[in-house]
């Protein structure tokens, strides 16, 4: 294998050849900014996943280095994200109690299984399978999970005990325990949340208005969560608010990520494999969407199958270094891009920064209130909530609206796993329904042209002896009966008919079921004294028809163009 072929699987060999001092500077600046952002995010997402805060830092180190070696995006920042963290706690809490050694082992194993699945999909180049998740369904799912995540963090904002994986369960549990609200915690949580919302929307314009350079103002604005962490930690420490019931992060072990092994218990694997598949697919879709968006801005290229390999390696790395499932995060990737990251090396430098924080700064977050981390999560996930997708799909396609509405409703009421499963299932069913009833049009000639259009939409010329039907879909087992019925109905309406032409300009493939239907149509029309023709058949479809011998029994001809068919058949009809 030469260097070019090897670089296909190790993209670092590609961008590494042109690495220079200017690129190093840009990557280091981006790494500093992303590191500042990732420290509170990593701790918060570990909390969301029901895991010790240190595991959030661990999951943000080795995985991002491995992605830098195997991934193709130059701006994607890999680590824990909100949706995957929620999927993790939903899956792992079914087999173990949060905080137990078994729970931690299950989360590590989940990362391992997810890594194996992603790696297998990448090696077998099966990235196209993610296309079965439509964008509206993903948007609906993320909106619903954002609401659930925000609701799940209200217990930390209010300082009460609550549980549940669906919105009704969470609301009911919060309502039941509302009398236990710790008002000091609530004040910290509400103030931190309000401050972070203001930082997200108002700090940058304020700084720019005061004359601060936009780039420096952006760096300061991105550091808003760090300011909230520092301020609330100092308040809790100075007034010893932990003694008054304010829950704090507590002791976070210092040092680099430990070496860990996933469980190889078949019972645990069978319990987690379904969730691992969901996490892999959802994580990949979210990651590759972000990566492609950012790459397009610099006219760079993303290889989805290699992205699967990069994310698979990242998750395997997480499983062997005390982490949990990871993927490319939207907010941190955008920050990484905006901060000027030129190559994936910025991620490796970020990992070094997080390693330093893990070794030297963890004692400083002992008094960090969990309410502040909860505020960080709430502000982050609510930016993903987008109810406008309902309005957009309602106006565009009622079927897509049904898929989105069902996904959101089932996710909120029955849980994230059932929600996304229902969304995928409904999307596939809708696709099958639409393609089983393809759009068909009777076409005629636009006067004084060689163009043919739908007789219901245009003033066109038609011949009572010639019927041309354009089918706007590939022909396969689900829509062949619909095609047969339409042709027979139209033939029955026109007693003077001599020729039927199937215009195939939109047909990309014909399967065996469709071929048998075409044979049946040909035979039935022949009995009725009507010849069956084709026009504008694509090359691959023509190859299929030729290979099966269908053309030998066809009563009519295959014409290169519809105008050629109409001209030739009109002459025959006149004879």
């Amino acid at each position: 294998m030469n260097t070019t072929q090897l670089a296909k699987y190790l993209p670092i060999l590609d961008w590494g050849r042109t690495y220079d001092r200017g690129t190093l500077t840009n990557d280091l600046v981006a790494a500093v900014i992303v590191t500042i952002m990732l420290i509170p995010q990593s701790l918060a997402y570990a909390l969301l996943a029901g895991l010790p805060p240190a595991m959030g830092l661990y999951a943000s180190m080795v995985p991002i280095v491995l992605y830098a070696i195997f991934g193709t995006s130059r701006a994607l920042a890999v680590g824990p994200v909100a949706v995957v963290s929620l999927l993790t706690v939903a899956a792992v809490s079914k087999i173990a109690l949060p905080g137990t050694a078994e729970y931690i082992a299950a989360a590590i194993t989940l990362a391992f299984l997810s890594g194996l699945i992603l790696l297998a999909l990448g090696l077998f180049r099966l990235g196209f399978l993610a296309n079965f998740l439509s964008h509206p369904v993903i948007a609906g799912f993320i909106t619903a999970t954002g609401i659930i995540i925000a609701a799940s963090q209200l217990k930390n904002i209010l300082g009460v005990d609550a549980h549940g994986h669906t919105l009704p369960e969470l609301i009911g549990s919060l309502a039941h325990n509302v009398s236990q609200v710790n008002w000091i915690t609530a004040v910290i949580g509400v103030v931190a949340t309000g401050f972070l919302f203001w930082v997200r929307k108002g700090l940058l314009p304020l700084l720019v208005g005061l004359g601060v350079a936009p780039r420096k103002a952006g760096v300061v604005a991105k550091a808003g969560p760090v300011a909230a962490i520092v301020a609330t930690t100092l308040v809790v420490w100075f007034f010893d608010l932990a003694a008054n019931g304010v829950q704090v992060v507590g002791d976070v072990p210092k040092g680099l990520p430990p070496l860990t092994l996933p469980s190889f218990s078949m019972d645990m694997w069978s319990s987690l494999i379904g969730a691992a598949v969901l996490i892999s697919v959802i994580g990949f879709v979210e990651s590759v969407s972000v990566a492609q968006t950012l790459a397009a801005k610099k006219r760079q290229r993303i290889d989805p199958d290699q992205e699967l390999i990069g994310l698979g390696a990242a998750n395997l790395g997480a499983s062997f270094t005390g982490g949990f499932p990871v993927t490319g995060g939207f907010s941190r990737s955008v920050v990484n891009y905006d901060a000027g990251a030129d190559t994936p090396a910025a991620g490796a430098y970020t990992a070094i920064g997080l390693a330093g924080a893990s070794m030297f700064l963890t004692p400083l977050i002992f008094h960090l209130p969990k309410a502040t981390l909860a505020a960080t999560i709430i502000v982050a996930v609510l930016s993903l909530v987008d109810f406008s997708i309902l309005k957009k799909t309602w106006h565009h396609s009622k079927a897509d609206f049904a898929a989105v509405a069902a996904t959101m409703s089932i996710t909120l009421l029955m849980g994230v796993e059932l929600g996304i499963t229902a969304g995928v299932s409904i999307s596939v069913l809708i696709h099958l329904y639409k393609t089983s009833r393809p759009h068909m049009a009777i076409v005629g000639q636009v006067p004084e042209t060689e163009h043919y259009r739908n007789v219901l939409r245009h003033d066109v010329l038609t011949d009572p002896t010639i019927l041309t039907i354009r089918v706007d879909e590939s022909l396969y087992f689900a829509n062949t009966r619909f095609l047969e019925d339409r042709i027979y109905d139209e033939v029955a309406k026109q007693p003077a008919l001599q020729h039927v032409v199937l215009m195939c300009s939109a047909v990309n493939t014909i399967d065996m079921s469709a071929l048998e239907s075409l044979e049946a149509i040909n035979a039935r029309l022949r009995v009725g004294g009507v010849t069956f023709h084709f026009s504008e058949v694509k090359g691959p479809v023509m190859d299929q028809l030729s290979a099966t011998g269908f053309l030998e029994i066809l009563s009519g001809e295959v014409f290169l163009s519809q105008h050629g068919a109409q001209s030739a058949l009109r002459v025959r009809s006149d004879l």
Side-chain angles (χ1 to χ4, degrees), residues 253-375:
K254 291 197 304 181
L256 298 176
L259 292 177
T260 55
L261 283 176
S263 170
F264 293 96
S265 164
M266 288 298 104
D267 289 338
M268 183 174 288
W269 279 36
S270 62
S271 299
L272 295 175
I273 191 66
V277 171
L278 281 179
I279 287 173
S280 300
V281 174
I282 294 295
F284 169 65
V285 170
E286 179 179 354
S287 178
V288 80
S289 298
V290 176
Q292 288 176 333
T293 300
L294 297 179
K297 294 182 178 182
K298 289 190 175 182
R299 299 186 180 183
Q300 295 169 349
R301 180 179 174 273
I302 297 299
D303 181 351
D305 291 313
Q306 186 61 32
E307 285 297 289
L308 283 166
I309 294 174
L311 293 174
N315 276 279
L316 289 176
S319 71
F320 289 110
T321 55
F324 57 101
V326 298
T327 193
F330 176 77
S331 58
R332 71 178 63 125
S333 297
V334 171
V335 170
N336 195 37
Y337 176 87
D338 289 342
D342 282 335
T343 73
Y349 304 146
T350 298
I352 295 173
L354 290 172
S358 180
M359 292 179 67
F360 303 111
L361 300 181
T362 52
L364 302 179
I365 61 175
F366 182 94
H367 294 283
L368 171 61
K370 290 184 177 181
T372 303
L373 293 180

Side-chain angles (χ1 to χ4, degrees), residues 226-562:
V226 177
I229 284 176
V230 172
T232 54
T233 300
L234 289 174
V235 168
V236 171
W237 167 74
F238 186 79
F239 293 103
D240 192 20
L241 296 181
N244 292 308
V246 175
Q247 294 185 345
V248 297
V249 170
D251 184 43
V252 177
K254 291 197 304 181
L256 298 176
L259 292 177
T260 55
L261 283 176
S263 170
F264 293 96
S265 164
M266 288 298 104
D267 289 338
M268 183 174 288
W269 279 36
S270 62
S271 299
L272 295 175
I273 191 66
V277 171
L278 281 179
I279 287 173
S280 300
V281 174
I282 294 295
F284 169 65
V285 170
E286 179 179 354
S287 178
V288 80
S289 298
V290 176
Q292 288 176 333
T293 300
L294 297 179
K297 294 182 178 182
K298 289 190 175 182
R299 299 186 180 183
Q300 295 169 349
R301 180 179 174 273
I302 297 299
D303 181 351
D305 291 313
Q306 186 61 32
E307 285 297 289
L308 283 166
I309 294 174
L311 293 174
N315 276 279
L316 289 176
S319 71
F320 289 110
T321 55
F324 57 101
V326 298
T327 193
F330 176 77
S331 58
R332 71 178 63 125
S333 297
V334 171
V335 170
N336 195 37
Y337 176 87
D338 289 342
D342 282 335
T343 73
Y349 304 146
T350 298
I352 295 173
L354 290 172
S358 180
M359 292 179 67
F360 303 111
L361 300 181
T362 52
L364 302 179
I365 61 175
F366 182 94
H367 294 283
L368 171 61
K370 290 184 177 181
T372 303
L373 293 180
T376 302
I377 294 173
I378 289 173
V379 173
V381 299
L382 287 184
S383 66
L384 303 176
V385 174
D386 178 19
F387 287 109
S388 68
I389 191 66
L390 291 171
K391 181 179 179 180
K392 292 176 183 176
T393 53
W394 175 261
H395 290 298
H396 179 72
S397 168
K398 299 300 186 290
D400 285 338
F401 172 81
V404 173
T407 301
M408 291 178 64
S409 301
I410 295 173
T411 301
L412 291 172
L413 299 176
M414 303 180 69
V416 291
E417 293 180 351
L418 280 175
I420 192 60
T421 302
V424 173
S425 301
I426 293 171
S427 294
V428 172
L429 289 175
I430 289 174
H431 171 72
L432 290 175
Y433 176 76
K434 288 180 177 179
T435 56
S436 70
R437 302 174 63 83
H439 178 265
M440 295 184 192
I442 299 175
V443 300
Q445 183 181 6
V446 178
E448 300 180 3
T449 74
E450 296 184 1
H451 300 294
Y452 290 77
R453 295 293 184 268
N454 191 337
V455 297
L456 300 179
R457 293 178 179 270
H458 303 272
D459 292 327
V460 293
L461 303 176
T462 59
D463 187 321
T465 65
I466 303 171
L467 170 68
T468 299
I469 295 183
R470 188 190 70 222
V471 56
D472 296 330
E473 185 66 66
S474 291
L475 299 177
Y476 74 116
F477 64 91
N479 60 23
T480 53
R481 175 62 64 183
F482 188 75
L483 172 65
E484 287 187 51
D485 291 343
R486 179 64 186 276
I487 291 178
Y488 297 153
D489 288 345
E490 296 297 336
V491 170
K493 296 176 184 177
Q494 304 181 41
L497 195 65
Q498 298 179 24
H499 306 281
V500 171
V501 181
L502 190 64
M503 188 174 175
C504 299
S505 53
V507 177
N508 294 316
T509 185
I510 297 176
D511 73 358
M512 279 303 300
S513 295
L515 181 64
E516 291 176 359
S517 287
L518 293 176
E519 291 174 348
I521 293 169
N522 181 62
R524 183 164 173 173
L525 292 179
R526 187 196 297 270
V527 170
V530 178
T531 53
F532 191 29
H533 308 272
F534 290 77
S535 71
E536 302 189 6
V537 180
K538 295 183 177 180
V541 177
M542 193 67 179
D543 293 340
Q544 288 179 307
L545 296 177
S546 299
T548 58
F550 173 75
L551 299 181
E552 298 173 7
I553 64 171
L554 182 64
S555 61
E557 301 177 36
V558 178
F559 294 93
L560 184 63
S561 69
Q562 177 55 36

